[in-house]
Amino acid sequence: MRAIGKGSLASLLAIGLHFTRIILWIAFFGLTIAMLTVPFIPAILDLFQSSDSINVDVDTDDIESAGEFIEVAYYFVTVAVMLFVVNRLLEILKTLRFGSPFVKENADRFRSVGYALLLGELAKFAFGFLTLFVDDNVDINSSMFSWLAIIAVFVLSEVFHEGSRMKEEQDLTV
Amino acid sequence: MAISVKLDRVMLERGMSLTELSERVGVTIANLSILKTGKAKAIRFSTLEAICKELGCQPGDILSFDDGDD
């Protein structure tokens, strides 16, 4: 299989990523609307008021809506991170199709992907912590594989950084 | 940079243009320009040999080392 051009793996990946981006944008707008419509403020206020008092008078509906809001916010952050990663990957593929991928910008793009994934994982912990305050079963979990993927992306960033330096040296060798 | 390139001076002395040298040496004008302006990070022995042959000079006539701060 060819590396670049029509029918290459890069062009197939680009098609797949473009398709994924469309789905992610739809999900992003859907989640934005969901976040705005979930009545979260009264729920959270009631939640904190009830946790301060000994005589707990909890409105179950508010707790559930707080849990729903956390879940929606969690998916919102996840989709936003995925959208950011897909956009950076498309930019990287663009440099591959129109020249050399070993440029400093790609090293920076991989690094930003690493930071975005790291932010996504840390957000999982933050949302997981928030779910402790609500009596709702919100499925938020972090896997070892995700952390390994983050490390792999940072390693890849360093490889591209060195690759771009070598490419520059090669280009400036007469 | 500590190594300075004096290719333009030697070319002027020989009355040779960049285009002519490029054709004779077989190196693109863009690459010769990189060398002439001191932007090059390295030079191949084969390129240096060809330039010296065409300009009738020694490598030391083209390259010099300035013992000063970078």
Side-chain angles (χ1 to χ4, degrees), chain B residues 16-66:
Chain B
M16 197 181 286
S17 69
L18 199 68
T19 313
E20 193 183 345
L21 185 66
S22 165
E23 283 167 1
R24 285 191 181 194
V25 172
V27 175
T28 62
I29 295 173
N31 273 349
L32 273 184
S33 186
I34 287 169
L35 182 65
K36 208 177 85 167
T37 52
K39 287 177 187 168
K41 292 216 172 187
I43 182 166
R44 292 186 189 91
F45 278 148
S46 57
T47 309
L48 191 60
E49 188 185 326
I51 290 171
C52 288
K53 191 178 173 185
E54 292 303 325
L55 291 174
C57 64
Q58 291 296 313
D61 297 330
I62 299 168
L63 304 171
S64 69
F65 176 66
D66 300 327

Side-chain angles (χ1 to χ4, degrees), chain A residues 165 168-174, chain B residues 31 39-44 47:
Chain A
R165 191 195 62 77
E168 190 191 353
E169 197 166 287
Q170 191 200 27
D171 288 344
L172 292 174
T173 298
V174 179
Chain B
N31 273 349
K39 287 177 187 168
K41 292 216 172 187
I43 182 166
R44 292 186 189 91
T47 309

